[in-house]
Amino acid sequence: MSNESAVVVRLDAGVLSLTLNRPDKLNAITYPMINSLLRYLEEAAADPDVRTVLLRGAGRSFSAGDDLVSMGEVPRALSPGEHPVEAMQQLLIRRWYWLRKPTVVAIRGRCHGMAHDLALAADFRVVSKTAIMGDIRSRRALPVGSGGTFLLPWLIGLAAATKLMLTGDTIDSDEIERLGLASVVVDDDAFDDAVAALAARLAAGPTKALGILKYQMRRSLGSRLEDALELELSLLDEPVDDRREGRLSFLEGRAPSFTGR
């Protein structure tokens, strides 16, 4: 399977869908796949036609995480002292986490390892009743290098995250929902429709304004109120075309029609 076919990309009505396409390997992630995702996200950030980004897996699982059999070759020469995880996995997490557009992960079946971290770094997680999540790397004494030690405690608290990460336990959809990790939980036969509906709703939103709001919230994590207020003030006059439509639609008593700009 080629690098390109291992990540299937499609843009439809503002929704950029990125599908991990190694279903026979539970969509285990390789360096060439990471390289493709990096490129697609870089292009998405600059493309005004991309209003939201959806990450999903082909077949019965989202992804089992890094391919422990073979990650493949790092697609570029590394600088002296540069670790491949820094150059690839961490760069992808950074680009995904800071993307100034809404992001959605569709979780069906297994979700572990780096794929688990990508799910945690997304804005929304649509979870099937078949989903099984968990950072199982500690079972094999494998290190975590793609953000999980920050993302999981941030989302569910230190005590719950410690239990999951140190035991390597997995959780089903009921526990995923109880811990607050799921934006929505649906039966598997309604999963694709729920994913499409949420992605379409986000793609119809004021994309640039949402990106600014997302950036403000993430930058303000762990900071003082004064720092958060200063950041908000610095972005108040950021040019956003959709703000005029938001005000006008309110005055006219109609639903807004946003361009994403």
Side-chain angles (χ1 to χ4, degrees):
M1 179 175 288
S2 71
N3 172 24
E4 296 304 317
S5 63
V7 178
V8 177
V9 59
R10 178 187 178 190
L11 177 60
D12 182 27
V15 178
L16 181 69
S17 297
L18 302 174
T19 303
L20 307 177
N21 190 36
R22 299 180 72 205
D24 56 323
K25 302 293 185 181
L26 295 183
N27 300 315
I29 298 170
T30 64
Y31 281 140
M33 292 170 70
I34 292 174
N35 196 50
S36 292
L37 291 170
L38 284 168
R39 187 177 75 255
Y40 292 139
L41 291 177
E42 183 177 22
E43 294 170 354
D47 187 350
D49 290 332
V50 175
R51 307 280 294 276
T52 192
V53 181
L54 167 63
L55 182 62
R56 63 190 313 160
R60 68 184 189 275
S61 282
F62 172 53
S63 173
D66 287 341
D67 191 327
L68 298 182
V69 176
S70 175
M71 289 293 294
E73 296 294 325
V74 176
R76 67 168 178 84
L78 299 177
S79 304
E82 185 180 23
H83 197 287
V85 169
E86 177 188 10
M88 301 300 295
Q89 285 97 327
Q90 290 191 353
L91 180 58
L92 177 57
I93 287 291
R94 285 191 178 98
R95 192 163 292 175
W96 179 241
Y97 181 83
W98 290 113
L99 184 68
R100 287 208 192 185
K101 298 183 179 184
T103 55
V104 180
V105 169
I107 305 172
R108 163 188 275 146
R110 293 284 174 177
C111 177
H112 306 304
M114 185 187 185
H116 192 263
D117 297 338
L118 286 167
L120 299 178
D123 299 317
F124 298 90
R125 286 163 291 278
V126 181
V127 175
S128 166
K129 288 283 191 180
T130 68
I132 300 292
M133 294 183 69
D135 193 320
I136 60 177
R137 284 171 280 200
S138 65
R139 295 184 185 180
R140 305 290 181 181
L142 298 175
V144 176
S146 48
T149 58
F150 167 80
L151 293 164
L152 193 60
W154 166 44
L155 289 170
I156 67 173
L158 180 60
T162 299
K163 178 179 182 296
L164 288 178
M165 295 196 78
L166 269 61
T167 63
D169 285 348
T170 59
I171 53 177
D172 61 14
S173 61
D174 289 340
E175 187 68 358
I176 293 168
E177 185 173 32
R178 188 190 72 79
L179 288 171
L181 288 173
S183 304
V184 60
V185 176
V186 294
D187 290 331
D188 199 59
D189 57 4
F191 181 69
D192 290 334
D193 288 343
V195 170
L198 177 58
R201 176 183 177 185
L202 293 168
T207 311
K208 187 174 181 180
L210 296 179
I212 292 171
L213 182 59
K214 171 180 175 176
Y215 175 74
Q216 288 172 323
M217 288 190 291
R218 295 187 173 214
R219 272 289 307 273
S220 296
L221 283 172
S223 66
R224 300 176 307 148
L225 173 61
E226 289 76 10
D227 297 327
L229 291 173
E230 182 178 345
L231 177 63
E232 290 177 353
L233 186 64
S234 72
L235 294 169
L236 282 180
D237 296 324
E238 182 88 6
V240 177
D241 293 346
D242 279 331
R243 287 184 178 142
R244 182 179 182 278
E245 167 63 9
R247 295 187 185 98
L248 187 61
S249 62
F250 174 76
L251 293 174
E252 295 176 352
R254 59 174 175 82
S257 178
F258 293 122
T259 66
R261 293 165 171 80

